[in-house]
Amino acid sequence: MELFPLPAFTDNYIWVLHDRVRALVVDPGEAEGVERWLQQHHLQLDTILITHHHADHTGGVEALRAATGARVVGPAHEPMPEPLERVVSGDVVTALDHRFEVIEVPGHTAGHIAFYCAEMDGAPLLFCGDTLFSGGCGRLFEGSPAQMFDSLRRLSALPDNTRVCCTHEYTLSNLAFAQAVEPGNADLTRYTAHCEQQRHQNFPTLPSSIGMEKRINPFLRTHMPEVQQAASRHEPAAPTDAVGVFATLRQWKNTYR
Ligand code: ZN
Ligand code: FE
């Protein structure tokens, strides 16, 4: 199986997974670039997976379905282009002979889901939409900090070698914020240098891994004393439990430049 992040718009990736004959795409915000890429690689679109309802993740669905007849699978509790195979937590989607487990991860949107494949050429694969980014997490448009915290906790419990396929190339700006939170984190300094090099050559920083995110992503590190101290320096009146620290970080990041 081959995995490719197809760039779209300014900073989206439309993930393509294929077996050299059939392809699966995740969150196609637009159709033209996807169709062109599939044609160039002589691939038949088999399945479209959708994580949440935002237009930059769903805008290409109708045109791709019309052109290819692909099956469309998406979240049960989000407004979605119909017809749709609606899935909920615990459902298993079989596509390209692989099993993808559905994990509900509310927060960015109320019905956001992720797709997790435990076995894919030796390393698990996670399509997490706008929930987990490398070095960051999605904005809370529809959910509460407690919901997003819980969603991220479920994702961080996946195996360390899980490849994390996020939908946006936000890594460098996330890491700049992460450095402000944890200037003493040596893993973060090393990873930032690596990602800067990747971007300098116009390569994606993704996929990341759950193991790396646990070492460098402040939103998965609210239990660390340095992160807690940074949060309470920024917002002395904020609650100091894990969800409170998470809420402070999310708020801080919204205005961080
Ligand atoms: Zn979104
Ligand atoms: Fe998005």
Side-chain angles (χ1 to χ4, degrees), residues 5-14 27 29 56-57 130 166-170:
L6 183 63
F9 309 118
T10 38
D11 51 31
N12 282 66
Y13 290 123
I14 298 169
D27 287 350
D56 64 315
H57 299 247
D130 287 355
C166 326
T167 337
H168 290 273
E169 182 60 70
Y170 290 159

Side-chain angles (χ1 to χ4, degrees), residues 90-118:
D91 282 351
V92 173
V93 179
T94 301
L96 308 188
D97 305 319
H98 285 78
R99 290 161 52 87
F100 295 83
E101 205 180 300
V102 176
I103 308 173
E104 282 177 17
V105 285
H108 178 68
T109 62
H112 200 304
I113 59 173
F115 297 91
Y116 173 68
C117 181

Side-chain angles (χ1 to χ4, degrees), residues 27-219:
D27 287 350
E30 58 103 6
E32 243 176 71
V34 176
E35 282 189 84
R36 202 179 319 121
W37 197 90
L38 293 173
Q39 270 162 19
Q40 280 165 1
H41 294 80
H42 312 288
L43 296 166
Q44 174 69 45
L45 186 60
D46 181 272
T47 301
I48 299 172
L49 301 180
I50 310 175
T51 63
H52 69 294
H53 70 83
H54 287 159
D56 64 315
H57 299 247
T58 58
V61 171
E62 298 289 12
L64 286 173
R65 190 209 320 263
T68 64
R71 148 196 198 208
V72 186
V73 181
H77 308 299
E78 299 255 297
M80 281 284 147
E82 296 281 355
L84 177 78
E85 266 179 60
R86 293 183 173 271
V87 291
V88 296
S89 219
D91 282 351
V92 173
V93 179
T94 301
L96 308 188
D97 305 319
H98 285 78
R99 290 161 52 87
F100 295 83
E101 205 180 300
V102 176
I103 308 173
E104 282 177 17
V105 285
H108 178 68
T109 62
H112 200 304
I113 59 173
F115 297 91
Y116 173 68
C117 181
E119 185 52 39
M120 175 70 67
D121 300 341
L125 202 55
L126 174 69
F127 296 116
C128 52
D130 287 355
T131 298
L132 175 61
F133 293 125
S134 188
C137 73
R139 282 176 186 259
L140 304 182
F141 287 119
E142 298 173 13
S144 66
Q147 276 179 320
M148 187 59 140
F149 178 80
D150 198 53
S151 295
L152 291 174
R153 197 164 48 179
R154 248 168 297 130
L155 297 184
S156 65
L158 296 172
D160 279 355
N161 65 340
T162 302
R163 289 170 285 170
V164 179
C165 303
C166 326
T167 337
H168 290 273
E169 182 60 70
Y170 290 159
T171 310
L172 290 185
S173 69
N174 286 337
L175 293 178
F177 174 72
Q179 296 268 14
V181 177
E182 269 191 297
N185 181 337
D187 287 330
L188 176 59
T189 306
R190 259 194 308 276
Y191 180 66
T192 303
H194 164 77
C195 291
E196 278 167 355
Q197 212 166 34
Q198 290 291 106
R199 294 310 294 148
H200 193 68
Q201 299 170 85
N202 213 17
F203 294 150
T205 59
L206 304 169
S208 176
S209 71
I210 290 292
M212 179 59 80
E213 293 308 312
K214 288 195 297 196
R215 292 200 294 278
I216 60 96
N217 189 325
F219 294 95

Side-chain angles (χ1 to χ4, degrees), residues 173-174 177 219 248-257:
S173 69
N174 286 337
F177 174 72
F219 294 95
T248 301
L249 290 182
R250 189 53 269 181
Q251 196 62 40
W252 180 4
K253 172 72 169 69
N254 289 346
T255 55
Y256 183 81
R257 289 286 175 276

